[in-house]
Amino acid sequence: MTAPTTASRPTAWWARLDPRQITAPYPVLPLLVLMGLATTAQVGGLALLLLLPGIKDTFGASLFVVSTVVVIGIQLGLAADVPTAALANRLGAMRVLCGGMIVLASLLLTTAVAGLAANSVALDIGVAGVAVGGWALTSVQNRLLAAYYPESLRPTVFFALRAAIVGGLALAPLLIGALELFYDWQAPFEVLAGTMLAFVLAALLLPGPGRRATPDEPDAPDEPDDADVAAPSFAEATRVLFAHQAVRRLYYSLPFLTVTVLGMRSFTDLLYRNVFHQDAAHRALIAASVQPGALIGLAIGFVLVGRRFVHDPGAAVRLLALSGALSAVCLVGVAASPSVAWAIAFQAAYVVVSASLLAGVYTTVSLVSPARHLMLAFALTSVWLSFGVAAIAPAGPSLVTDVDGVFGFRAGLLVFVVLYLVGSAILASAAATLEPALEALQITAAADAEVRRARREGRASLLMLRAVDAGYDGRPVLSGIDLDVPDGELVAVLGTNGAGKSTLLRVISGLTSPTAGQVIFDGQDITSLDPSRIASLGIVQVPGGRGIFADLTVAESLEVAGWPYLHEPDYVRRATEAALAHFPVLRERWHTAAGDLSGGEQQMLSLAQAFIARPRLLMIDELSLGLAPTVIEGLLEVVRQIHENGTTVLLVEQSVDLAMRLAARAVFMERGRIMFTGAITELVARDDLIRAVFLAGATTSARGVEGPPVRESPARRGSPSNGDGVVLSARGLRRTYGGVTAVDHLDLDLHAGEFLGVMGPNGAGKTTVLEMLSGHLPANAGRVVMFGEDISGWPAHRRAAAGLGRSFQSARLWPGLTVQETLAVAVAPRVRSPGAVAALLCLPTVSRAERRVGYAVDEVVEQLGLDDYRDQLTAELSTGTRRLVELAILVAMQPSILLLDEPSAGVAQAESLAMVPLLRDTRALLDASVLIIEHDLTLLRTLADRVVAMDAGKVLTVGTPAEVFEDSRVVAAYLGTAPQ
């Protein structure tokens, strides 16, 4: 960010005295008008405090409402600033500002008239409005400053605005006192109202702000209102702004700084009264004598800090934090002063040093916030300022009093020193993250300009992504994504696990806020809209493996899907019938809870819901996730029909073969970037992409899924010494859901050291068998024997403790834990706990136990190649990496028997093939027996010693992979075709 050359020509100090040069080459009048409006608004609140004795004398009593509202006026004003900003964001900043100032002027006149008529009710109304109005329009004023002036002039205009307010507050006591002396206490309110209305008239005559900044005109000011963009809601702005660490930390610092600034005004007065025994007149004189120091501080701050914002914003914020730390030092000086003179000197130094903080904060907010959210960004500043007043300030008096009772009043003031240092430290931490936030804004501005050009030239598509960056908690996932999806097209998005495909869909649907760039749908900027508003535009996402509410029945789920169209009951009825025609099994499961459906049936339910939702853009994440071939064929036909009916489809897939059957165009992603976009036939021919990524795993392990080294296995609890013995046996297992029989008198044996595969179409009962074997679901009949002991009545945790480990069809990980923390939970049962008492006493045994857990976690991380993901939240992992973490949990638990439910579901082809040596080595490492459910026949053929084929809850056949795969009944049930 550099200022225009025309703005930097005058170098002599006297040239700067010309106000026209302050904002050159932009007009100075908007700044002067906004300075006048802001100053008169704040002086109105000060006038109430100064004139309170005269008001009380007129009414002859102590007025509760007047005194109470004046005391808490700042808090009320900050609270009112938020709805005012939200209103201005929709109606226009200048319109709301002028209207609000007219109302404020009317309230000033109401206060004066109430005094003349001795009407206490009118006085209360006027006083309340004036007290609140001083802060209620702060965000609107700041937004207009940012609209009229570019980034290079923001420090100048914000410091100038603050200087005008401070100067007005410094001169106001003299002017107000003179008017009251020569006239009456009503006169200052009348003069203020007239002055305010004059500035409002000037504001109404101002020309509109300049247009939005573009890369061609990088120094153009922002336009406050964009006709083709819907005004963001407060929740949307909060979500977008808090996606940036710089903004978050800036806000977090404000409550600590606010309570100190406001609290010191009261407690320095108490210091002079209680310690130095100064009367009220002397205390008022002291306060008036140090106030001009704020103007000096603003001038110094602008030279040292304000100008630095233009070239190095991070350094400017660090200087602001330093000024906060120096303010804390000055407060120590005030508290330790041996005399009144020293106390006044340190207080004056404090006023000088701290004067730039608020102007610097507003400048920073204006620089790091997107133009579309700038109004609400300032409003959020008021929210966090109010936290300091509402949450911390009430505790200040009692806290200082408590400290005073033990250590003395001077020590009580040191409470504010601590708060100031905490706020300054948080503010300093924001400086390190400021540069990425500013770079993201520049990328977004460039993307906006490119989108506008495309729309002017008629090149706009239904969906347009430009320079989109996104990530999770500072970790980048997407980088510079450019994508166009024309109306009516079906596009396949391919790539390895962790390439960012699912994150791309989350960004489009609003579930993840991008840190830079723009997302345009049908000509509308939806970059920061919340998911509900995006869905109302016709964007529907079917998430991979997580598209249902488990507790709702099929009927309730489809009813929820039709809820937006309750005013069209005929459409909902027709769409529901059409969805059930596509998926007749859902009619049979009409009253079954969605969580009790098989994986394939859940996927069908998700697609049926999407079908009813009448999407313009349908985004499907992993269509074939965990599905049998016969089910996939049916889903492919449904997607084709949806597309042929005019719906644009964005399909994320791991299988290039499946994608080729649906899409003509493909997008290939790797490591968060688009490496290729074009005809899918061209992609298949690219050896450096498809063949390298999807086929390399046939002979070598993919990155991040190397097999663990085979080590000497630990002693197994209950493991039979005979390698041919049966370690897990089921006899006559039966399970029903309502009137549906999921498993019907099933017999199954798992031998020691064996890989036993289980296959079958979706709904065959495979997962239900694992649920009963692991104890997560009770059987209606039958028994389960493990290591010769009947465990049918054992709960799941007891079976796990006995050596039975189990994975799930969709990896069930704690989303709020990192990979390391997740593995620590899995390892902990193997490490003897010293107990809660030892932890409370911080005994050495606790640290030794923690080290043992850490060593065990490090070993598992090394074995499974998870070091790159150690500190990443499990919710942020790709599907394939989540599978790997789930396997690592089992390794950490060291079970004797592994029950794996579709470990390759959602894993890319190369990584699926790489799982073969990984699973083999894991079995050898644990000396375990493995029962594995899989739809990937290649993986089963390579891995399994025996295969059990199921259909409709029963065993069709058991044998070697070759024998089972050639069985005519298996071919008919699994592939949906007759044997050749």
Side-chain angles (χ1 to χ4, degrees), residues 564-584:
Y565 310 103
L566 289 180
H567 59 287
E568 302 179 56
D570 291 338
Y571 165 74
V572 174
R573 185 172 56 256
R574 291 194 309 271
T576 303
E577 286 300 321
L580 293 175
H582 289 308
F583 308 112

PDB file of all heavy atoms in Angstrom, residues 564-584:
ATOM      1  N   PRO A 564     -38.575 -26.377   2.725  1.00  0.00           N
ATOM      2  CA  PRO A 564     -38.583 -25.050   2.073  1.00  0.00           C
ATOM      3  C   PRO A 564     -39.726 -24.866   1.078  1.00  0.00           C
ATOM      4  O   PRO A 564     -39.989 -23.739   0.647  1.00  0.00           O
ATOM      5  CB  PRO A 564     -37.221 -25.007   1.351  1.00  0.00           C
ATOM      6  CG  PRO A 564     -36.376 -26.008   2.073  1.00  0.00           C
ATOM      7  CD  PRO A 564     -37.318 -27.088   2.465  1.00  0.00           C
ATOM      8  N   TYR A 565     -40.393 -25.963   0.712  1.00  0.00           N
ATOM      9  CA  TYR A 565     -41.443 -25.878  -0.308  1.00  0.00           C
ATOM     10  C   TYR A 565     -42.813 -26.240   0.270  1.00  0.00           C
ATOM     11  O   TYR A 565     -43.652 -26.813  -0.413  1.00  0.00           O
ATOM     12  CB  TYR A 565     -41.103 -26.798  -1.482  1.00  0.00           C
ATOM     13  CG  TYR A 565     -39.697 -26.606  -1.991  1.00  0.00           C
ATOM     14  CD1 TYR A 565     -38.686 -27.521  -1.672  1.00  0.00           C
ATOM     15  CD2 TYR A 565     -39.355 -25.492  -2.750  1.00  0.00           C
ATOM     16  CE1 TYR A 565     -37.391 -27.337  -2.110  1.00  0.00           C
ATOM     17  CE2 TYR A 565     -38.059 -25.301  -3.189  1.00  0.00           C
ATOM     18  CZ  TYR A 565     -37.087 -26.226  -2.872  1.00  0.00           C
ATOM     19  OH  TYR A 565     -35.805 -26.035  -3.308  1.00  0.00           O
ATOM     20  N   LEU A 566     -43.016 -25.912   1.547  1.00  0.00           N
ATOM     21  CA  LEU A 566     -44.301 -26.214   2.175  1.00  0.00           C
ATOM     22  C   LEU A 566     -45.454 -25.495   1.486  1.00  0.00           C
ATOM     23  O   LEU A 566     -46.602 -25.953   1.527  1.00  0.00           O
ATOM     24  CB  LEU A 566     -44.256 -25.831   3.660  1.00  0.00           C
ATOM     25  CG  LEU A 566     -43.380 -26.713   4.563  1.00  0.00           C
ATOM     26  CD1 LEU A 566     -43.427 -26.209   5.990  1.00  0.00           C
ATOM     27  CD2 LEU A 566     -43.824 -28.161   4.499  1.00  0.00           C
ATOM     28  N   HIS A 567     -45.142 -24.366   0.856  1.00  0.00           N
ATOM     29  CA  HIS A 567     -46.191 -23.629   0.145  1.00  0.00           C
ATOM     30  C   HIS A 567     -46.509 -24.278  -1.199  1.00  0.00           C
ATOM     31  O   HIS A 567     -47.410 -23.816  -1.905  1.00  0.00           O
ATOM     32  CB  HIS A 567     -45.756 -22.181  -0.081  1.00  0.00           C
ATOM     33  CG  HIS A 567     -44.484 -22.056  -0.886  1.00  0.00           C
ATOM     34  ND1 HIS A 567     -43.244 -22.373  -0.370  1.00  0.00           N
ATOM     35  CD2 HIS A 567     -44.275 -21.669  -2.168  1.00  0.00           C
ATOM     36  CE1 HIS A 567     -42.316 -22.175  -1.302  1.00  0.00           C
ATOM     37  NE2 HIS A 567     -42.918 -21.750  -2.400  1.00  0.00           N
ATOM     38  N   GLU A 568     -45.748 -25.325  -1.574  1.00  0.00           N
ATOM     39  CA  GLU A 568     -46.003 -26.056  -2.815  1.00  0.00           C
ATOM     40  C   GLU A 568     -46.214 -27.540  -2.489  1.00  0.00           C
ATOM     41  O   GLU A 568     -45.390 -28.383  -2.835  1.00  0.00           O
ATOM     42  CB  GLU A 568     -44.846 -25.899  -3.797  1.00  0.00           C
ATOM     43  CG  GLU A 568     -44.514 -24.466  -4.177  1.00  0.00           C
ATOM     44  CD  GLU A 568     -43.341 -24.394  -5.134  1.00  0.00           C
ATOM     45  OE1 GLU A 568     -43.414 -25.031  -6.214  1.00  0.00           O
ATOM     46  OE2 GLU A 568     -42.336 -23.738  -4.799  1.00  0.00           O
ATOM     47  N   PRO A 569     -47.296 -27.884  -1.813  1.00  0.00           N
ATOM     48  CA  PRO A 569     -47.484 -29.289  -1.401  1.00  0.00           C
ATOM     49  C   PRO A 569     -47.546 -30.260  -2.576  1.00  0.00           C
ATOM     50  O   PRO A 569     -47.109 -31.407  -2.460  1.00  0.00           O
ATOM     51  CB  PRO A 569     -48.812 -29.256  -0.631  1.00  0.00           C
ATOM     52  CG  PRO A 569     -49.499 -28.011  -1.100  1.00  0.00           C
ATOM     53  CD  PRO A 569     -48.417 -27.032  -1.410  1.00  0.00           C
ATOM     54  N   ASP A 570     -48.083 -29.815  -3.712  1.00  0.00           N
ATOM     55  CA  ASP A 570     -48.138 -30.708  -4.872  1.00  0.00           C
ATOM     56  C   ASP A 570     -46.743 -31.056  -5.356  1.00  0.00           C
ATOM     57  O   ASP A 570     -46.463 -32.215  -5.711  1.00  0.00           O
ATOM     58  CB  ASP A 570     -48.950 -30.058  -6.003  1.00  0.00           C
ATOM     59  CG  ASP A 570     -50.424 -29.954  -5.661  1.00  0.00           C
ATOM     60  OD1 ASP A 570     -50.874 -30.724  -4.782  1.00  0.00           O
ATOM     61  OD2 ASP A 570     -51.120 -29.103  -6.248  1.00  0.00           O
ATOM     62  N   TYR A 571     -45.853 -30.053  -5.380  1.00  0.00           N
ATOM     63  CA  TYR A 571     -44.481 -30.318  -5.812  1.00  0.00           C
ATOM     64  C   TYR A 571     -43.793 -31.280  -4.852  1.00  0.00           C
ATOM     65  O   TYR A 571     -43.113 -32.227  -5.269  1.00  0.00           O
ATOM     66  CB  TYR A 571     -43.668 -29.029  -5.893  1.00  0.00           C
ATOM     67  CG  TYR A 571     -42.184 -29.314  -5.984  1.00  0.00           C
ATOM     68  CD1 TYR A 571     -41.629 -29.791  -7.170  1.00  0.00           C
ATOM     69  CD2 TYR A 571     -41.347 -29.176  -4.869  1.00  0.00           C
ATOM     70  CE1 TYR A 571     -40.284 -30.122  -7.249  1.00  0.00           C
ATOM     71  CE2 TYR A 571     -40.011 -29.491  -4.940  1.00  0.00           C
ATOM     72  CZ  TYR A 571     -39.476 -29.966  -6.132  1.00  0.00           C
ATOM     73  OH  TYR A 571     -38.148 -30.294  -6.206  1.00  0.00           O
ATOM     74  N   VAL A 572     -43.955 -31.059  -3.550  1.00  0.00           N
ATOM     75  CA  VAL A 572     -43.305 -31.921  -2.568  1.00  0.00           C
ATOM     76  C   VAL A 572     -43.782 -33.358  -2.731  1.00  0.00           C
ATOM     77  O   VAL A 572     -42.979 -34.302  -2.682  1.00  0.00           O
ATOM     78  CB  VAL A 572     -43.583 -31.407  -1.138  1.00  0.00           C
ATOM     79  CG1 VAL A 572     -43.026 -32.385  -0.104  1.00  0.00           C
ATOM     80  CG2 VAL A 572     -42.960 -30.031  -0.933  1.00  0.00           C
ATOM     81  N   ARG A 573     -45.073 -33.543  -2.952  1.00  0.00           N
ATOM     82  CA  ARG A 573     -45.613 -34.894  -3.109  1.00  0.00           C
ATOM     83  C   ARG A 573     -45.055 -35.558  -4.360  1.00  0.00           C
ATOM     84  O   ARG A 573     -44.630 -36.719  -4.332  1.00  0.00           O
ATOM     85  CB  ARG A 573     -47.140 -34.825  -3.177  1.00  0.00           C
ATOM     86  CG  ARG A 573     -47.804 -36.206  -3.217  1.00  0.00           C
ATOM     87  CD  ARG A 573     -49.323 -36.106  -3.089  1.00  0.00           C
ATOM     88  NE  ARG A 573     -49.904 -35.252  -4.108  1.00  0.00           N
ATOM     89  CZ  ARG A 573     -50.347 -33.996  -3.887  1.00  0.00           C
ATOM     90  NH1 ARG A 573     -50.268 -33.483  -2.667  1.00  0.00           N
ATOM     91  NH2 ARG A 573     -50.861 -33.283  -4.855  1.00  0.00           N
ATOM     92  N   ARG A 574     -45.021 -34.803  -5.481  1.00  0.00           N
ATOM     93  CA  ARG A 574     -44.500 -35.382  -6.724  1.00  0.00           C
ATOM     94  C   ARG A 574     -43.014 -35.701  -6.606  1.00  0.00           C
ATOM     95  O   ARG A 574     -42.550 -36.753  -7.048  1.00  0.00           O
ATOM     96  CB  ARG A 574     -44.740 -34.416  -7.892  1.00  0.00           C
ATOM     97  CG  ARG A 574     -46.203 -34.246  -8.289  1.00  0.00           C
ATOM     98  CD  ARG A 574     -46.293 -33.567  -9.656  1.00  0.00           C
ATOM     99  NE  ARG A 574     -45.505 -32.353  -9.712  1.00  0.00           N
ATOM    100  CZ  ARG A 574     -45.956 -31.139  -9.381  1.00  0.00           C
ATOM    101  NH1 ARG A 574     -47.213 -31.011  -8.946  1.00  0.00           N
ATOM    102  NH2 ARG A 574     -45.190 -30.070  -9.474  1.00  0.00           N
ATOM    103  N   ALA A 575     -42.252 -34.772  -6.003  1.00  0.00           N
ATOM    104  CA  ALA A 575     -40.807 -34.982  -5.877  1.00  0.00           C
ATOM    105  C   ALA A 575     -40.501 -36.161  -4.961  1.00  0.00           C
ATOM    106  O   ALA A 575     -39.580 -36.948  -5.225  1.00  0.00           O
ATOM    107  CB  ALA A 575     -40.148 -33.709  -5.343  1.00  0.00           C
ATOM    108  N   THR A 576     -41.267 -36.304  -3.894  1.00  0.00           N
ATOM    109  CA  THR A 576     -41.048 -37.434  -2.985  1.00  0.00           C
ATOM    110  C   THR A 576     -41.332 -38.749  -3.676  1.00  0.00           C
ATOM    111  O   THR A 576     -40.574 -39.722  -3.538  1.00  0.00           O
ATOM    112  CB  THR A 576     -41.928 -37.281  -1.738  1.00  0.00           C
ATOM    113  OG1 THR A 576     -41.642 -36.029  -1.090  1.00  0.00           O
ATOM    114  CG2 THR A 576     -41.683 -38.420  -0.763  1.00  0.00           C
ATOM    115  N   GLU A 577     -42.429 -38.795  -4.445  1.00  0.00           N
ATOM    116  CA  GLU A 577     -42.754 -40.022  -5.172  1.00  0.00           C
ATOM    117  C   GLU A 577     -41.688 -40.343  -6.207  1.00  0.00           C
ATOM    118  O   GLU A 577     -41.315 -41.499  -6.411  1.00  0.00           O
ATOM    119  CB  GLU A 577     -44.123 -39.888  -5.842  1.00  0.00           C
ATOM    120  CG  GLU A 577     -45.291 -39.963  -4.878  1.00  0.00           C
ATOM    121  CD  GLU A 577     -45.333 -41.288  -4.130  1.00  0.00           C
ATOM    122  OE1 GLU A 577     -45.046 -42.330  -4.751  1.00  0.00           O
ATOM    123  OE2 GLU A 577     -45.631 -41.279  -2.923  1.00  0.00           O
ATOM    124  N   ALA A 578     -41.173 -39.298  -6.884  1.00  0.00           N
ATOM    125  CA  ALA A 578     -40.122 -39.532  -7.875  1.00  0.00           C
ATOM    126  C   ALA A 578     -38.852 -40.057  -7.203  1.00  0.00           C
ATOM    127  O   ALA A 578     -38.175 -40.955  -7.729  1.00  0.00           O
ATOM    128  CB  ALA A 578     -39.820 -38.238  -8.628  1.00  0.00           C
ATOM    129  N   ALA A 579     -38.515 -39.506  -6.022  1.00  0.00           N
ATOM    130  CA  ALA A 579     -37.328 -39.973  -5.307  1.00  0.00           C
ATOM    131  C   ALA A 579     -37.483 -41.428  -4.878  1.00  0.00           C
ATOM    132  O   ALA A 579     -36.543 -42.232  -4.981  1.00  0.00           O
ATOM    133  CB  ALA A 579     -37.073 -39.086  -4.097  1.00  0.00           C
ATOM    134  N   LEU A 580     -38.685 -41.784  -4.416  1.00  0.00           N
ATOM    135  CA  LEU A 580     -38.919 -43.168  -3.997  1.00  0.00           C
ATOM    136  C   LEU A 580     -38.932 -44.113  -5.195  1.00  0.00           C
ATOM    137  O   LEU A 580     -38.591 -45.298  -5.062  1.00  0.00           O
ATOM    138  CB  LEU A 580     -40.246 -43.259  -3.237  1.00  0.00           C
ATOM    139  CG  LEU A 580     -40.268 -42.542  -1.879  1.00  0.00           C
ATOM    140  CD1 LEU A 580     -41.667 -42.585  -1.281  1.00  0.00           C
ATOM    141  CD2 LEU A 580     -39.266 -43.178  -0.926  1.00  0.00           C
ATOM    142  N   ALA A 581     -39.317 -43.583  -6.357  1.00  0.00           N
ATOM    143  CA  ALA A 581     -39.253 -44.409  -7.558  1.00  0.00           C
ATOM    144  C   ALA A 581     -37.804 -44.716  -7.920  1.00  0.00           C
ATOM    145  O   ALA A 581     -37.484 -45.820  -8.385  1.00  0.00           O
ATOM    146  CB  ALA A 581     -39.956 -43.703  -8.715  1.00  0.00           C
ATOM    147  N   HIS A 582     -36.915 -43.754  -7.706  1.00  0.00           N
ATOM    148  CA  HIS A 582     -35.496 -43.980  -7.957  1.00  0.00           C
ATOM    149  C   HIS A 582     -34.909 -44.950  -6.933  1.00  0.00           C
ATOM    150  O   HIS A 582     -34.043 -45.764  -7.258  1.00  0.00           O
ATOM    151  CB  HIS A 582     -34.724 -42.656  -7.898  1.00  0.00           C
ATOM    152  CG  HIS A 582     -34.993 -41.747  -9.054  1.00  0.00           C
ATOM    153  ND1 HIS A 582     -34.895 -42.167 -10.360  1.00  0.00           N
ATOM    154  CD2 HIS A 582     -35.345 -40.438  -9.102  1.00  0.00           C
ATOM    155  CE1 HIS A 582     -35.179 -41.151 -11.169  1.00  0.00           C
ATOM    156  NE2 HIS A 582     -35.452 -40.097 -10.424  1.00  0.00           N
ATOM    157  N   PHE A 583     -35.367 -44.844  -5.671  1.00  0.00           N
ATOM    158  CA  PHE A 583     -34.813 -45.649  -4.587  1.00  0.00           C
ATOM    159  C   PHE A 583     -35.950 -46.384  -3.878  1.00  0.00           C
ATOM    160  O   PHE A 583     -36.371 -45.997  -2.776  1.00  0.00           O
ATOM    161  CB  PHE A 583     -34.069 -44.756  -3.598  1.00  0.00           C
ATOM    162  CG  PHE A 583     -33.042 -43.856  -4.233  1.00  0.00           C
ATOM    163  CD1 PHE A 583     -33.224 -42.476  -4.263  1.00  0.00           C
ATOM    164  CD2 PHE A 583     -31.901 -44.382  -4.805  1.00  0.00           C
ATOM    165  CE1 PHE A 583     -32.289 -41.647  -4.843  1.00  0.00           C
ATOM    166  CE2 PHE A 583     -30.948 -43.552  -5.380  1.00  0.00           C
ATOM    167  CZ  PHE A 583     -31.144 -42.188  -5.412  1.00  0.00           C
ATOM    168  N   PRO A 584     -36.473 -47.443  -4.459  1.00  0.00           N
ATOM    169  CA  PRO A 584     -37.619 -48.146  -3.865  1.00  0.00           C
ATOM    170  C   PRO A 584     -37.326 -48.732  -2.497  1.00  0.00           C
ATOM    171  O   PRO A 584     -38.244 -48.929  -1.698  1.00  0.00           O
ATOM    172  CB  PRO A 584     -37.938 -49.240  -4.885  1.00  0.00           C
ATOM    173  CG  PRO A 584     -36.704 -49.374  -5.727  1.00  0.00           C
ATOM    174  CD  PRO A 584     -36.066 -48.032  -5.747  1.00  0.00           C
TER     175      PRO A 584
END
